[in-house]
Amino acid sequence: MTSPVDIEIISKELDEGLILLDLDANVMYANPKALSYFGERILSNPIYNFIRAPQLIDLINIEKKPKIFEYIHQGNTIQTYVITIIPLTEKATALKIADYSQREAFENVRKEFIANVSHELRSPLTSIIGFIETLQTQEVPKDKSNHFLKIMQDEANRMSRILDDLLSLSKLEINAYIKPVDEIDILENLNIVLSTMEIRLKEKRIEVKLNTESKNTFKYKIRGDFDEITQVFNNLIDNAIKYSPENKTISIDVSYKKNDNKLNTITISISNEGTGVSEEHLPRLTERFYRVDKDRSRTVGGTGLGLAIVKHIMYRHDGELFIESTPNKKTTFSINLPCIS
Ligand code: ATP
Ligand code: MG
């Protein structure tokens, strides 16, 4: 049989709660997850004091299959746990405890996501189908039919962009734990993205000021995925242009920080003027499909997936994303990345 010491080591890594009970159902051991559910006070006390479910006493003696209990937390928030009772020996029983409320919350996020995807794809599709029907059933003059075709093309492109972004997100989720290893030069990525934006910048008469602390590009090297880092700059600079009025300046500040106990970091801050984002929206900007003003974002071509992608890429690169905004003044998106030197 596995010794309690081994159980302790293994159970520390578990994502679920694990409790060991003696013959009288006193808690002999609880792993960190179980302690986070019920608190340190459960140790050496009877489990019935904390999981007040009348069936528990019988189940500890006879049952072996999963059973759902509703355990009323302090403060009366209802927390649902799935508790599996595992008899170990005649003198010891284990309880495996999974937080069902978290799964419910997860399930709700999933449902909301599917509803959002369906909605976002349905609007362009409805418009395309409408125009096809019109073109099939009515005599439409050439200039008008060309106009319809242009709208259909824009809507089809929009659907294609949404699907590309969703694929990027799912690829990032799958690879979340595989760290990218290529050596890349941040300034190279920045300049590539800026050159692809030249026409749009000219159209809006926006000037970009790139401020680097050092001419020594060696400092700006990181371990990363070239395409993903390019995608980050693409999203952030695209937003800065989209949400900036004409005739303004976008500032890009690149700086390097020496850290004592961890890797040195590079910070890239991209700032633009404009209406900005009020405080209550800031924490939600990186949620999928979240846009402060859906109509405005839609007219400038946004689907609300850009920052969700940036957040995932930062996670994969051990980086961070910070957002600061003073409405009607300045909005700054900063990323921190560990660098090679
Ligand atoms: P997408 O990037 O998918 O084409 P999007 O730009 O609308 O669409 P995100 O990049 O995720 O989506 O940004 C989410 C929202 O954050 C935007 O809709 C906008 O409301 C707000 N936002 C992002 N960047 C800025 C900015 N620089 N200034 C003001 N608001 C911004
Ligand atoms: Mg965007």
Side-chain angles (χ1 to χ4, degrees):
M1 195 201 125
T2 319
S3 77
V5 177
D6 290 335
I7 286 179
E8 198 172 326
I9 292 169
I10 296 162
S11 72
K12 265 189 185 155
E13 304 301 323
L14 287 181
D15 226 15
E16 293 176 321
L18 186 81
I19 288 176
L20 293 184
L21 303 176
D22 68 12
L23 196 58
D24 302 318
N26 288 313
V27 177
M28 296 191 286
Y29 169 76
N31 75 343
K33 202 75 192 178
L35 291 176
S36 77
Y37 295 154
F38 304 110
E40 297 268 348
R41 63 210 168 102
I42 59 167
L43 295 170
S44 309
N45 281 310
I47 190 68
Y48 311 120
N49 290 353
F50 304 95
I51 301 177
R52 293 177 191 278
Q55 318 93 303
L56 186 61
I57 194 157
D58 295 335
L59 292 170
I60 282 180
N61 295 326
I62 52 169
E63 284 272 5
K64 287 177 192 166
K65 53 181 192 279
K67 183 82 188 170
I68 297 174
F69 291 99
E70 272 189 9
Y71 165 69
I72 315 281
H73 234 341
Q74 277 176 4
N76 283 349
T77 50
I78 295 184
Q79 201 82 14
T80 316
Y81 295 107
V82 178
I83 302 181
T84 315
I85 294 148
I86 312 161
L88 294 177
T89 64
E90 281 187 4
K91 290 184 183 162
T93 306
L95 302 183
K96 180 168 77 83
I97 301 165
D99 186 346
Y100 202 70
S101 324
Q102 254 177 20
R103 278 192 226 177
E104 273 172 331
F106 191 74
E107 187 58 14
N108 286 340
V109 169
R110 200 184 63 89
K111 281 185 192 150
E112 195 185 330
F113 173 68
I114 290 171
N116 275 333
V117 173
S118 315
H119 175 78
E120 293 296 329
L121 291 176
R122 189 193 303 257
S123 343
L125 198 57
T126 307
S127 137
I128 292 171
I129 292 170
F131 285 120
I132 290 174
E133 277 171 9
T134 310
L135 290 170
Q136 276 175 334
T137 55
Q138 294 172 26
E139 279 295 322
V140 184
K142 185 88 181 132
D143 58 337
K144 219 172 175 184
S145 72
N146 281 343
H147 176 61
F148 288 173
L149 283 169
K150 172 77 177 66
I151 300 175
M152 287 161 75
Q153 188 181 28
D154 288 347
E155 296 288 37
N157 284 338
R158 182 177 167 77
M159 289 172 73
S160 171
R161 266 201 319 272
I162 295 174
L163 290 172
D164 283 347
D165 283 350
L166 289 172
L167 281 175
S168 288
L169 272 171
S170 83
K171 209 174 111 199
L172 282 164
E173 274 177 348
I174 292 166
N175 293 333
Y177 300 102
I178 307 168
K179 295 296 166 205
V181 291
D182 294 345
E183 187 177 307
I184 57 174
D185 176 353
I186 285 285
L187 290 185
E188 197 185 320
N189 296 66
L190 256 179
N191 284 317
I192 288 173
V193 172
L194 284 173
S195 64
T196 64
M197 305 268 179
E198 256 170 33
I199 297 174
R200 285 179 60 206
L201 288 165
K202 260 201 194 117
E203 274 170 6
K204 280 189 95 170
R205 291 179 298 280
I206 293 175
E207 191 197 343
V208 173
K209 278 200 179 138
L210 176 61
N211 311 307
T212 55
E213 266 179 355
S214 158
K215 296 274 171 277
N216 179 1
T217 55
F218 171 75
K219 283 185 179 176
Y220 301 128
K221 283 195 172 150
I222 65 157
R223 291 243 173 259
D225 180 298
F226 191 90
D227 291 340
E228 288 179 14
I229 294 295
T230 306
Q231 212 175 350
V232 166
F233 292 138
N234 210 43
N235 275 309
L236 297 181
I237 299 172
D238 172 71
N239 282 349
I241 300 174
K242 261 195 320 208
Y243 300 107
S244 159
E246 295 189 346
N247 291 310
K248 299 284 180 191
T249 303
I250 292 174
S251 306
I252 304 179
D253 298 288
V254 187
S255 62
Y256 171 82
K257 189 170 161 234
K258 271 197 166 303
N259 296 314
D260 284 342
N261 296 322
K262 51 180 186 149
L263 286 176
N264 298 329
T265 40
I266 301 174
T267 304
I268 301 105
S269 299
I270 299 170
S271 309
N272 68 280
E273 294 174 49
T275 44
V277 183
S278 54
E279 213 177 327
E280 76 265 24
H281 294 290
L282 285 179
R284 301 199 59 190
L285 289 193
T286 54
E287 285 175 23
R288 289 157 199 218
F289 296 113
Y290 194 83
R291 284 154 293 184
V292 176
D293 177 344
K294 285 210 176 207
D295 290 337
R296 179 161 177 245
S297 291
R298 207 180 140 82
T299 50
V300 287
T303 50
L305 289 169
L307 290 176
I309 292 174
V310 170
K311 184 178 75 175
H312 275 80
I313 296 177
M314 281 301 107
Y315 179 72
R316 196 161 115 76
H317 284 75
D318 295 327
E320 293 167 306
L321 170 73
F322 297 102
I323 313 172
E324 288 167 285
S325 185
T326 313
N328 297 317
K329 281 207 167 136
K330 195 168 109 168
T331 301
T332 305
F333 287 78
S334 303
I335 53 167
N336 270 346
L337 284 162
C339 64
I340 288 175
S341 54

